[in-house]
């Protein structure tokens, strides 16, 4: 499920202040927590950021929004969450890899045209999950240290990795083995 602008804000406030996200979402904060939220809101008004939470954008729409933000608001970094949700302007592609290739090339072009870096978030393919589910299952049987069994992600773990790697200047991973250790067993 994609988060709305409001949900993203609640998550940010919760993380920044160390408050459980549910407390904010359901209005269960203490008076002190509400005071801290109010102070954070005042500080946040000085920050220069914009969030567009409209889904289903085409490449042209993304370019228009990005151009406006760079030219009128001085945006220095664009974060696209996530790459596969961006659609080509004309959907004449027969395979997913063709679509991803076209979109990544267009995002790269937009970044160059605007002279602004674009951080495009993408997801891992299912093979990464399968490998690590096998590792956690082995841990349960052999009682080994699971962090020794989990492979860190690599470029081949990205969906349509060739197209993404070809267009990207840098590919990096957010990798948290402690989260992988809690992957549930697949149900058959």
């Amino acid at each position: 499920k994609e988060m709305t602008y409001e949900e993203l804000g609640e998550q940010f406030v919760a993380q920044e202040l160390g408050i459980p996200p549910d407390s904010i979402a359901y209005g269960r904060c203490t008076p002190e927590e509400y005071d801290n939220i109010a102070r954070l809101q005042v500080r946040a008004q000085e920050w220069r950021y914009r969030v567009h939470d409209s889904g289903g954008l085409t490449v042209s729409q993304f370019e228009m929004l990005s151009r406006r933000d760079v030219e009128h608001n001085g945006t220095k970094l664009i974060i696209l969450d996530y790459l596969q949700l961006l659609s080509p302007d004309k959907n004449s592609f027969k395979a997913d890899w063709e679509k991803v290739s076209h979109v990544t090339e267009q995002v790269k072009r937009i970044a160059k045209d605007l002279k602004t870096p674009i951080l495009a978030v993408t997801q891992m393919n299912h093979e990464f999950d399968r490998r690590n589910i096998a590792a956690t299952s082995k841990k349960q049987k052999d009682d080994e240290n699971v962090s020794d069994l989990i492979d860190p992600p690599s470029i081949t773990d990205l969906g349509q990795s060739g197209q993404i790697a070809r267009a990207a200047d840098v590919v990096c991973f957010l990798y948290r083995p402690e989260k992988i250790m809690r992957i549930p067993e697949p149900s058959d």
Side-chain angles (χ1 to χ4, degrees):
K1 175 185 176 260
E2 299 300 316
M3 284 195 273
T4 65
Y5 178 75
E6 290 81 13
E7 291 168 327
L8 189 60
E10 288 173 0
Q11 289 291 321
F12 172 77
V13 169
Q15 172 113 17
E16 189 72 15
L17 298 176
I19 300 171
D22 288 347
S23 295
I24 296 171
Y26 297 112
R28 296 184 192 138
C29 294
T30 66
E32 181 183 347
E33 289 171 334
Y34 280 122
D35 289 343
N36 290 338
I37 291 170
R39 280 192 288 278
L40 181 61
Q41 286 175 326
V42 169
R43 281 194 357 242
Q45 289 174 0
E46 298 170 5
W47 300 339
R48 296 181 62 188
Y49 69 93
R50 294 179 50 82
V51 175
H52 298 286
D53 64 349
S54 52
L57 291 177
T58 64
V59 170
S60 293
Q61 291 167 326
F62 173 73
E63 182 175 11
M64 179 202 59
L65 288 170
S66 299
R67 184 172 304 283
R68 184 179 66 202
D69 284 343
V70 168
E71 292 175 357
H72 297 289
N73 301 315
T75 298
K76 304 283 187 222
L77 170 68
I78 298 165
I79 301 174
L80 172 60
D81 182 15
Y82 75 82
L83 183 66
Q84 283 86 344
L85 290 180
L86 200 58
S87 301
D89 294 314
K90 296 177 184 168
N91 199 3
S92 58
F93 302 100
K94 293 183 172 91
D96 280 346
W97 70 266
E98 291 175 313
K99 176 187 161 197
V100 170
S101 179
H102 174 77
V103 168
T104 55
E105 288 168 9
Q106 293 304 304
V107 168
K108 175 78 170 202
R109 178 192 57 77
I110 294 166
K112 283 185 176 185
D113 289 350
L114 298 177
K115 297 177 176 66
T116 304
I118 298 176
L119 187 148
V121 179
T122 187
Q123 67 183 30
M124 308 294 272
N125 63 28
H126 296 295
E127 183 55 36
F128 179 74
D129 290 335
R130 279 193 281 275
R131 276 198 327 265
N132 291 308
I133 288 170
T136 57
S137 296
K138 183 173 176 23
K139 155 75 170 116
Q140 292 168 355
K141 292 176 189 165
D142 300 341
D143 200 33
E144 292 182 45
N145 184 354
V146 90
S147 61
D148 294 338
L149 300 172
I150 296 175
D151 291 330
S154 71
I155 191 71
T156 58
D157 292 319
L158 295 176
Q160 287 86 30
S161 60
Q163 289 71 33
I164 294 169
R166 193 170 28 257
D169 290 329
V170 175
V171 175
C172 61
F173 298 93
L174 298 179
Y175 173 59
R176 295 174 27 187
E178 70 276 5
K179 292 288 185 183
I180 294 170
M181 288 186 245
R182 289 184 244 152
I183 296 173
E185 284 287 324
S187 57
D188 291 20

